[in-house]
Structures are given as C-alpha cells and as structure tokens.
Amino acid sequence: MKISRKITIFALFALLLLAAAQAAFAAEAAHERRIRLATELINKMAIEQDAESLADVIKSGKGVAIFPAVTKAGLGIGGQTGEGLVLLRQPNGKWTGPAFMGISGASIGLQIGVSSVGLVLVITNQEGLHAFTGGNSFKLGADVGIAAGPVGRDASAATDGRAKASIYSYSMSKGLFAGISIDGSVINQNRDANKAYWGHDISAENALKKPANNKKIQGLVKALNELVKKAPK
C-alpha cells in the first residue's frame, strides 16, 4: 500500500514537472516566433518606396516597438490586439533589449470582418522613452503623444527637432506602407515573455538596459541596422 502510494505521488510529481516544462516551451516558442515575425516585418518595410522616411525617423529616435500582427475585428464597434517587442537604439547606434509587450484597444467605426496590420512605433524623445520604461502599462494619446508617422517630404520636418510627436506609428497591410493613427490603444508589459527570453523575472526598464547581443535577437538587430542605412545622409 505504501509502495503504491509512493508511486502515485511520484507520478503526480512527474506530471507537474512535465506540465511546467511544456508551459515553459510554449512561452519560449511564442517569444521566438514574435522575434521572427518582427524581423520579417522590418525586412518588408525596408523595401518599400517610403522606407527612407521610416529609416530617418528611426535613426534620429530612441528606439522602436514592433507589433508584427495587430488584429482588428468587429462590426460597428471593434477592437484591436497584438503582441510585440521593444528595442532601444543608443547614441552610438547599438541596440538594447528586447522587452516584450502587448497592445490592445477599442476602435469605433464601420468595421466589417477581420484585418491584420504590422505596426512599428518609433520612440522619438525622452517622454516616449519614459512611457515604455516607467511602468506596467500606458495609453497612447493620453499618457504620451502619438501621431501617424511622417512619410515622403514630411519626414525631414519630423526629424529636425521641431514639434515632433513622442511616438510615430507606421503600418504595413497587404503590401501597403503608411503612417497610422492608433490613439487610445494601451501598451502593457508581457512579463511571461520577458521571463522566457531572459531566463528570470525582469521589468521592461531593466530589460531595455541590457545589450541586444543574444543570438536570438541578432536577425532583428541586423534587419534594423540595414533599414537605418537607408536614411538620407
């Protein structure tokens, strides 16, 4: 009887370990998939006609938040949600991070069906930087200023230090590249994804202080550096 009980306890313990391992694997697979999709999005944006505008804003900015697939759905009143990550660009051109985050929010309008867009937010100043590092969540347009990213001739005016937004947003949908307005959306930290990537509990603020030299993130860093090279001299 005692042996049978010990076997039962051991089996339950083994099942708990297996469940924990599967959960950890799922989280790891999720954050690696997010990095891969973010890399693909940056590569797609880099070959668009207005890539120079985006590159110029990134080159003069503090960092980027990349959400590869923000899904909007609904009829009349809808919503949007997506998962992404943030990397900061230092004055010497080196990148730090990543910190993983999610975006969600309500949208009101004549929406029918479901659409998915790739979203890139460029952090342009200290206020925008503080939004991503100062707490667990913040609201775009309320806690920090955001505007549709400038393209074409508007880009030079946006990077000359005059009246620029704290965050500029760009989208990619069905091959179309443009600025996009997402006022009212909420961005929040994804601590589970951060833990899966870094191997321990870590805040976005501390994650974004670490050099982006892990081999998992190198493909995305390379893609961003190649994009920045397209900025006007």
Side-chain angles (χ1 to χ4, degrees):
M1 188 73 175
K2 290 183 179 180
I3 294 176
S4 176
R5 185 177 180 183
K6 288 181 179 179
I7 291 174
T8 301
I9 293 173
F10 178 80
L12 289 173
F13 183 69
L15 286 173
L16 287 173
L17 287 178
L18 179 61
Q22 289 176 334
F25 176 79
E28 181 179 14
H31 79 256
E32 289 184 347
R33 179 174 180 272
R34 203 177 305 182
I35 292 171
R36 176 176 58 80
L37 293 176
T39 304
E40 292 175 1
L41 176 60
I42 293 299
N43 284 332
K44 288 179 181 177
M45 286 184 160
I47 62 175
E48 292 300 310
Q49 186 175 358
D50 277 320
E52 288 187 1
S53 302
L54 173 59
D56 201 22
V57 174
I58 292 176
K59 184 178 181 179
S60 64
K62 302 288 188 180
V64 294
I66 308 167
F67 299 90
V70 179
T71 301
K72 300 179 69 175
L75 175 59
I77 298 179
Q80 57 192 23
T81 183
E83 300 292 338
L85 58 89
V86 182
L87 286 167
L88 299 186
R89 189 170 187 269
Q90 304 304 313
N92 62 2
K94 300 293 184 180
W95 295 88
T96 57
F100 293 86
M101 299 192 178
I103 185 170
S104 61
S107 55
I108 300 176
L110 297 176
Q111 300 176 21
I112 300 176
V114 178
S115 63
S116 179
V117 298
L119 178 67
V120 173
L121 306 181
V122 184
I123 306 164
T124 67
N125 58 28
Q126 199 63 33
E127 183 181 353
L129 185 61
H130 178 72
F132 282 94
T133 59
N136 289 323
S137 65
F138 62 94
K139 191 172 186 178
L140 296 170
D143 298 324
V144 63
I146 184 170
V151 293
R153 295 179 180 178
D154 295 335
S156 59
T159 57
D160 66 0
R162 297 176 297 175
K164 67 181 178 183
S166 295
I167 297 173
Y168 282 132
S169 56
Y170 292 87
S171 69
M172 184 85 179
S173 178
K174 297 180 180 179
L176 299 178
F177 170 82
I180 184 174
S181 178
I182 51 170
D183 278 12
S185 297
V186 174
I187 291 180
N188 52 77
Q189 293 189 38
N190 188 324
R191 289 188 173 270
D192 289 340
N194 284 333
K195 183 177 181 180
Y197 179 88
W198 292 106
H200 55 85
D201 286 321
I202 187 170
S203 66
E205 180 180 12
N206 288 329
L208 291 170
K209 293 177 181 178
K210 295 180 176 292
N213 53 18
N214 189 301
K215 64 180 181 180
K216 294 179 181 178
I217 202 71
Q218 285 308 296
L220 179 54
V221 168
K222 181 180 178 180
L224 286 167
N225 285 335
E226 290 298 317
L227 174 58
V228 168
K229 289 179 182 179
K230 293 180 177 290
K233 303 297 183 181

